[in-house]
Amino acid sequence: MVHSVLKASRFFCPPREALGLTSAISGRVCYSAFSSMKETNFSIVDSSSNTVAPTREPCITDTLSVNVNGTTSSMSVQCTPEIEKKFVHHVYDAIAPHFSSTRFAKWPKVAAFLSSLPLGSLVLDAGCGNGKYLGLNHDCFFIGCDISSSLIKICSDRGHEVLVADAVNLPYRTGFGDAAISIAVLHHLSTENRRRRAIEELVRVVKKGGLVLITVWAVEQEDRMLITKWTPLNEKYVDEWVGPGSPRVRTPSSVSLESIPESEESRSREHMNVCNEPNVSRDLDEENNIKNQQEYFVPWHLPYHRAEISGASADALAAGLAIKDDKKGAVVYNRYYHVFSEGELERLTTGINNARIVDQFFDKSNWCVILEKTL
Amino acid sequence: MRLLTHNMLSSNIKGVVNGFPLRIEAEKVVEKTVEMNGEFLKKMFEKIDWKAFVDASRAMGPEEADCSMLDSDEFLNRFHHALLELHLEEGALVCPETGRRFPVNKGIPNMLLHEDEDTDGEDSKDGLTDIWKVGVFSVTG
């Protein structure tokens, strides 16, 4: 059966020489080019009665379960904490097109990693965002996933093979991929257990000998001015979502952390629900606190004209999850970040017994690691 | 969603022992041509679960894969077509153990779990009891 369909060039393209192609193959394809695509419609094939799982209401309040030992049980690891729902998922869904327009530059280290993969590799991008790296190596097949359906729609419109999924619970069979990447993702996970779980998932889904590249934002930002635009989240606030008994990365201080000087942007305390103590003693070592500080809200300015298109901003403003900045003509969202300290990625990986570190480096204010699955 | 992707998707619901393969309910299947790469196909052939692939291709339409493809000179073309050129645009992927449907819309599967589906199956084996539940993200101002 031969179907004449519009030939489409895809990211996955074989070497031109191999096929003797004379026409130029562009690396991108838009769905709009599929105007004469033949569509075959089928009715639902499976008509046999099957057990339909009852629909469940998503739980409104998020909880942490604590076992008799006082440590957080694994029951909490895959359940999304409220802070991530409100200050990661919701935000990316609201800002997706604008965010995507700013994410086009390919990071050389990531490009080099992907280009080094052998022909025919199946590459999984967990937390692929706008799909910037999907198809970067034309000899590989990429599957991207992200928790934001808005971002995944953008990827799909560009012709990528993508799905909506959770990095903490990847829907892939074990050992199927040849390589996996996690670029600027893990710093959005709010507990150490979830961050470790996400790394375990990346290792699980690649084959033995498969490589995993992970990059995360560093505490040690090269542009120190950038940090002044962030809102540090203080100790008490961190305790509330991390929960008692969770392992702490840094030495907890007995007093509230002094907040790093804010930028000129107006920021309502009630809206952001951040407990900044206004009268903290200036005797504290400010530099030390900056070094220890790892939890932040990082602002995203969504221009008003963009906010109107997305429509989600009206709800966000009403709920106090975003504020208006008339001076900048933008709706200001906050994204939750746990920035990584030196050695933290390495420490997380050490506990994973079927992976070893083959490379680790600091590049452009990101801590990076390449793992190899050993078993 | 292509059949290559389907061949690596698994239901990750709590308590499910083997969530692969997901059963396909196809409402709309679309064909999109893509250039063939023999080397890539050979690599994928070694990787995929053949039975799951054949069963899935039946759900996607009359151009099905079968074992005779292995002997046929046209093997690569037909394998390529079924593996990479058929797209499930609308439908669902059904967990083989629970019957839970993961929807596929505009070619995109949504594999996110509901709140009560996404805990680790190992919890029950540990026999740990919850002594209290802590409310998180409580606003104390």
Side-chain angles (χ1 to χ4, degrees), chain B residues 65-83:
Chain B
D66 57 57
C67 287
S68 69
M69 284 169 54
L70 295 170
D71 305 320
S72 167
D73 289 338
E74 289 295 306
F75 166 69
L76 275 184
N77 281 321
R78 295 177 65 188
F79 179 47
H80 167 81
H81 181 68
L83 189 73

Side-chain angles (χ1 to χ4, degrees), chain A residues 177-206:
Chain A
D178 294 297
I181 60 174
S182 169
I183 308 304
V185 178
L186 301 195
H187 49 221
H188 285 314
L189 298 175
S190 57
T191 75
E192 177 154 309
N193 284 340
R194 283 171 64 75
R195 295 187 284 267
R196 180 181 296 106
R197 175 59 186 249
I199 299 177
E200 287 169 353
E201 280 291 277
L202 290 162
V203 172
R204 179 183 70 78
V205 300
V206 298

